[in-house]
Amino acid sequence: LLIRLFLEQKILVEQPPRIMAANENATLACKYAYNGTGNEFRASLNKGTDRAVEVCSVSWNGSFHNHHTNKDFNCLVAVDSHKKEVNFSLWKLNTDQTDIYFCKIEVMFPPPYISNDKSNGTVIHVKEKLFQLPVFQSATPFWAVVVTLGFLAFYSVLITAAFWKNKKNRILTSDYMNMTPRHPPGPKNKHYQPYAPTRIHTEYRSWEP
């Protein structure tokens, strides 16, 4: 009878077949079913078809959790005993870490020791990170840009009109600068007077009758 009870105790594990790592991050959810009376468990994530590399693990008995992570990985484990689910969160993955990963659930205490059967595993595919040029988005509305450009164009027209008007006034002023008659050629005559028309005086006599 005891042997029969021991044989009936088992752990079944369910995990997704494939996960695409988004931005070098991935979370693998391992759901398990257990029909025994164990109260101390251990869950681990193993890499490769031979499960040779243990990525990270956690041990718990009620409220106490003990974590362990491989130095070549960034991993955080969260356990939900009520839902019977263990989540392995990985970040900063690289393309060399693309592989198949297996969840392993173990009953550590009380005896007998039980672990789940080998599952189909989950392929975690890490895409090569592509370099993207930053895209700058202007916070200024389009209409504000149009108004600003219109104002600058109007201001440029005013400046140009003022420049040509000032230049025209200088040309007209230069044409009327030297209107005083010049001295005749030859030796200077200090008694020379500028030409002025001779005024003809006419005397009028009064005629007596």
Side-chain angles (χ1 to χ4, degrees), residues 179-200:
M179 297 302 295
T180 304
R182 298 181 180 180
H183 292 283
K188 291 184 179 180
N189 185 357
K190 58 183 177 180
H191 298 291
Y192 171 78
Q193 296 293 333
Y195 170 79
T198 304
R199 186 175 180 179
I200 301 175

Side-chain angles (χ1 to χ4, degrees), residues 104-117:
K104 185 178 181 180
I105 309 295
E106 305 167 86
V107 178
M108 308 302 294
F109 187 85
Y113 168 83
I114 302 173
S115 66
N116 65 287
D117 295 331

Side-chain angles (χ1 to χ4, degrees), residues 5-190:
L5 290 175
F6 288 159
L7 293 175
E8 287 179 352
Q9 295 186 42
K10 62 175 62 175
I11 300 176
L12 300 177
V13 173
E14 179 185 354
Q15 57 185 102
R18 185 181 180 88
I19 293 177
M20 298 293 293
N23 298 322
E24 303 177 343
N25 302 329
T27 298
L28 175 54
C30 299
K31 297 181 180 181
Y32 66 93
Y34 171 61
N35 61 351
T37 58
N39 56 23
E40 185 174 332
F41 301 86
R42 184 178 189 271
S44 60
L45 182 65
N46 301 275
K47 176 180 178 291
T49 55
D50 56 357
R51 305 185 182 190
V53 178
E54 184 176 274
V55 177
C56 54
S57 63
V58 60
S59 300
W60 74 96
N61 58 352
S63 60
F64 176 75
H65 292 185
N66 184 24
H67 297 268
H68 174 73
T69 302
N70 189 308
K71 62 181 179 61
D72 295 327
F73 288 85
N74 296 292
C75 179
L76 181 65
V77 189
V79 177
D80 190 333
S81 300
H82 298 287
K83 293 183 178 180
K84 289 184 169 54
E85 183 174 303
V86 181
N87 291 315
F88 296 92
S89 297
L90 306 170
W91 66 94
K92 292 185 179 180
L93 293 168
N94 56 60
T95 54
D96 294 335
Q97 293 171 329
T98 296
D99 209 330
I100 187 168
Y101 292 78
F102 296 92
C103 298
K104 185 178 181 180
I105 309 295
E106 305 167 86
V107 178
M108 308 302 294
F109 187 85
Y113 168 83
I114 302 173
S115 66
N116 65 287
D117 295 331
K118 186 176 180 179
S119 63
N120 293 329
T122 300
V123 174
I124 298 180
H125 181 70
V126 184
K127 287 186 175 182
E128 185 177 359
K129 190 174 182 180
L130 299 177
F131 177 76
Q132 295 182 350
L133 294 175
V135 178
F136 298 97
Q137 295 183 353
S138 176
T140 306
F142 176 75
W143 62 266
V145 175
V146 172
V147 171
T148 303
L149 293 176
F151 175 78
L152 293 176
F154 179 72
Y155 183 75
S156 300
V157 171
L158 290 180
I159 294 297
T160 303
F163 171 78
W164 284 108
K165 183 177 181 181
N166 185 40
K167 185 175 181 180
K168 183 177 180 181
N169 290 338
R170 284 190 297 172
I171 293 174
L172 292 176
T173 303
S174 62
D175 290 341
Y176 294 97
M177 282 178 62
N178 299 319
M179 297 302 295
T180 304
R182 298 181 180 180
H183 292 283
K188 291 184 179 180
N189 185 357
K190 58 183 177 180

